Amino acid sequence: MAQHVVVYEYGIVRRASEAGGSIDSTQNTEVFVSDQTFDLLKQWAFVPHADAVIHFFLQKGKECLRFKNYTGILQTSDGTQFEILPKISKNDTVFIARQSLLKMLRSVTDLPFYQLSQAHLQQADQPLWEIFISAFIQEMEQIMQQGLERAYQTIETEQTFVRGKWLPHRQNTLHPELLFSAHDEFNADILPNRLLKTCVLFLGKCSQYLPNQVRLRQLRFALADVNTSTQVNADFAKLEKLDRRFNRYAQALKWAKVLLNQQSWATAGKDVNDSLLFPTERLFENYVAHGAKRYLVDHQVSYQDNLHFLVDDHSGKRRFRLRPDLVIRKDQQTVVMDMKWKWIEPTLPNYGIEQADLYQLYAYGRKYNADALFLIYPAQEDFRAPLPPFRFEKQLVLTVIPFDIRALLSLEVEKMENYLGMT
């Protein structure tokens, strides 16, 4: 049975053979895995793009791997599945951390996670992988209730009689008694259904949650007359040509594409599949921006605004485009906000804020002629209220505020609106 390992961001992975005693991984900040799994991760850590996700280092002469600020699912080719969760606070449970990640994923509009329901958030006692499978099954069951789409398919056969159109140029001269013919059949064995069945069969092999297994078996029986796809990537590329009849398939096919990517390492020879990993800072930005656009109805909200450049004229051209995370306008007032996925530490001299971030906000403030500036960090036990204001100039003030992912999004945006002070 494949091993499922839960670990927080910046958690450390060690060899179980070097544990040196009883293993306590209840805090999910330090986990122990087999030497085989560790070696697969170690080998992957030196792949160029992997350095953003995982870091190899030595601690007291022992090899260690540390995850960075990515969350989601990572799977090694020996079947070990790492579920990397955001570190929201010092005392949060896995349930809360997993639920927080699901809430942030729901803000990514171009991925199927956007359709995760409140019911899926309440399933956070299950691994992420099983929650994703459940969401796919739900989409599939809706399709089955309405009935599978069907189309005419050309079937070619060799028989002792002609069915449909005889194709003499395809005749087998060694067997003149068999006539090669082609006829059309109206059936469900069409490209979208094949991809969905391929996903159903794949998930049936890897799901370990009994309710999901039962529902997948039911889907498998319902798709008995449909073949599987032998060229998944090529078949997904053909889906752009589908007509409107298949609009109701859209979400199920998006899920199938995401979930089937989990099997890509088996054919590509990869040691690690990282297709379901997400940069946590980008998720946090999306989540706050999604809330601002949804609930600040009386404001003009621009995400990743690109109106201004740092340098207005260099050899006749503007240079170094500025991209603040949020620009909020109302009447004649402008507020610029930036989000950072880092912990504020009130006991440190500068609270853990990087000086470069202040330079960045100052540039935004001057170029946008902002009335106020804000830096948003995730809330945690030691950071529940805004820090004392940072005054760049008399009319240019930066306020650092918390944003609690665990709370209702509407309430957090309401707090944010109160901080803005825009009349």
Side-chain angles (χ1 to χ4, degrees):
M1 181 179 294
Q3 183 183 8
H4 179 253
V5 179
V6 177
V7 61
Y8 285 121
E9 278 181 297
Y10 301 102
I12 296 177
V13 182
R14 301 181 187 273
R15 297 180 186 271
S17 61
E18 297 179 349
S22 60
I23 298 175
D24 179 13
S25 297
T26 56
Q27 299 302 310
N28 300 103
T29 56
E30 184 176 79
V31 296
F32 296 85
V33 298
S34 69
D35 285 1
Q36 179 185 7
T37 300
F38 187 93
D39 288 335
L40 289 170
L41 274 180
K42 176 185 171 182
Q43 183 174 343
W44 180 68
F46 293 98
V47 173
H49 80 277
D51 60 352
V53 181
I54 196 167
H55 170 62
F56 173 80
F57 65 101
L58 294 175
Q59 187 178 74
K60 296 182 179 179
K62 294 183 178 180
E63 295 181 328
C64 302
L65 292 162
R66 185 192 297 275
F67 287 113
K68 297 185 181 181
N69 57 338
Y70 272 70
T71 49
I73 298 171
L74 180 148
Q75 182 167 315
T76 53
S77 56
D78 66 349
T80 303
Q81 189 178 81
F82 291 87
E83 182 177 336
I84 309 168
L85 300 177
K87 185 65 176 173
I88 306 297
S89 72
K90 298 175 182 177
N91 301 313
D92 273 346
T93 62
V94 168
F95 182 94
I96 295 297
R98 187 179 284 141
Q99 192 176 70
S100 299
L101 175 56
L102 290 169
K103 289 170 69 174
M104 289 192 289
L105 284 171
R106 290 173 72 191
S107 68
V108 185
T109 56
D110 55 346
L111 292 174
F113 313 108
Y114 188 66
Q115 296 296 325
L116 287 169
S117 65
Q118 192 65 31
H120 290 127
L121 296 186
Q122 298 309 313
Q123 295 175 5
D125 55 333
Q126 291 294 322
L128 277 178
W129 180 240
E130 298 293 350
I131 296 172
F132 295 162
I133 292 175
S134 177
F136 168 75
I137 292 173
Q138 182 176 311
E139 296 293 337
M140 283 296 300
E141 289 173 341
Q142 291 178 5
I143 291 174
M144 301 307 295
Q145 288 173 4
Q146 299 170 18
L148 287 173
E149 289 293 336
R150 298 171 182 270
Y152 282 102
Q153 302 289 308
T154 300
I155 309 298
E156 296 182 347
T157 59
E158 282 186 299
Q159 297 174 315
T160 56
F161 60 91
V162 174
R163 183 180 179 186
K165 183 180 180 181
W166 180 41
L167 303 176
H169 63 285
R170 301 286 299 277
Q171 188 68 43
N172 187 342
T173 56
L174 297 178
H175 295 280
E177 76 281 5
L178 297 178
L179 302 175
F180 201 100
S181 62
H183 65 279
D184 289 337
E185 285 187 3
F186 190 66
N187 59 42
D189 189 21
I190 55 178
L191 180 63
N193 292 339
R194 290 176 195 154
L195 286 167
L196 294 177
K197 180 171 183 178
T198 302
C199 190
V200 167
L201 294 181
F202 168 62
L203 297 179
K205 296 176 182 177
C206 58
S207 174
Q208 298 182 23
Y209 181 46
L210 183 58
N212 281 348
Q213 293 174 0
V214 172
R215 294 165 74 191
L216 287 167
R217 279 198 296 270
Q218 293 170 344
L219 289 173
R220 186 184 69 205
F221 294 140
L223 293 164
D225 295 332
V226 178
N227 289 312
T228 56
S229 168
T230 57
Q231 296 180 316
V232 171
N233 291 335
D235 284 346
F236 272 117
K238 299 175 184 176
L239 291 182
E240 297 178 2
K241 302 176 183 178
L242 292 178
D243 57 45
R244 294 180 181 178
R245 292 183 301 144
F246 294 95
N247 286 349
R248 64 191 180 95
Y249 275 52
Q251 281 303 118
L253 287 169
K254 283 183 180 179
W255 274 116
K257 188 173 184 178
V258 166
L259 297 176
L260 282 172
N261 275 337
Q262 280 295 106
Q263 68 177 355
S264 63
W265 61 264
T267 54
K270 291 169 60 178
D271 294 319
V272 173
N273 187 334
D274 59 347
S275 60
L276 281 174
L277 284 182
F278 312 94
T280 323
E281 182 159 29
R282 185 66 185 274
L283 288 179
F284 182 56
E285 292 172 5
N286 268 287
Y287 182 67
V288 177
H290 171 75
K293 287 185 174 183
R294 181 175 181 180
Y295 295 110
L296 295 180
V297 293
D298 296 329
H299 302 70
Q300 179 187 345
V301 179
S302 176
Y303 177 51
Q304 296 283 309
D305 193 276
N306 59 4
L307 184 63
H308 294 288
F309 289 76
L310 184 61
V311 176
D312 287 326
D313 186 8
H314 175 75
S315 299
K317 294 183 179 180
R318 296 190 294 174
R319 307 279 183 174
F320 307 107
R321 188 186 294 274
L322 299 175
R323 289 186 181 275
D325 290 332
L326 279 177
V327 177
I328 300 175
R329 299 177 177 92
K330 184 179 180 182
D331 299 329
Q332 302 300 314
Q333 295 177 297
T334 300
V335 168
V336 177
M337 313 184 83
D338 226 38
M339 283 87 83
K340 303 296 179 184
W341 183 256
K342 301 171 186 174
W343 274 35
I344 288 296
E345 297 288 353
T347 58
L348 297 178
N350 292 320
Y351 310 99
I353 299 173
E354 294 185 14
Q355 189 168 338
D357 293 338
L358 295 189
Y359 288 153
Q360 187 179 51
L361 265 294
Y362 180 68
Y364 292 160
R366 293 301 301 268
K367 288 297 180 178
Y368 279 82
N369 194 25
D371 295 282
L373 299 169
F374 288 86
L375 260 177
I376 302 176
Y377 290 85
Q380 39 93 3
E381 290 90 342
D382 299 326
F383 181 48
R384 294 291 186 190
L387 298 179
F390 294 81
R391 189 173 299 277
F392 292 120
E393 298 170 357
K394 184 176 181 180
Q395 301 299 324
L396 190 59
V397 178
L398 167 68
T399 306
V400 178
I401 62 175
F403 198 97
D404 194 346
I405 301 172
R406 297 162 297 182
L408 283 174
L409 181 58
S410 58
L411 295 180
E412 285 304 292
V413 174
E414 183 179 343
K415 289 181 187 177
M416 188 172 76
E417 184 178 12
N418 292 334
Y419 295 144
L420 296 181
M422 301 177 80
T423 57

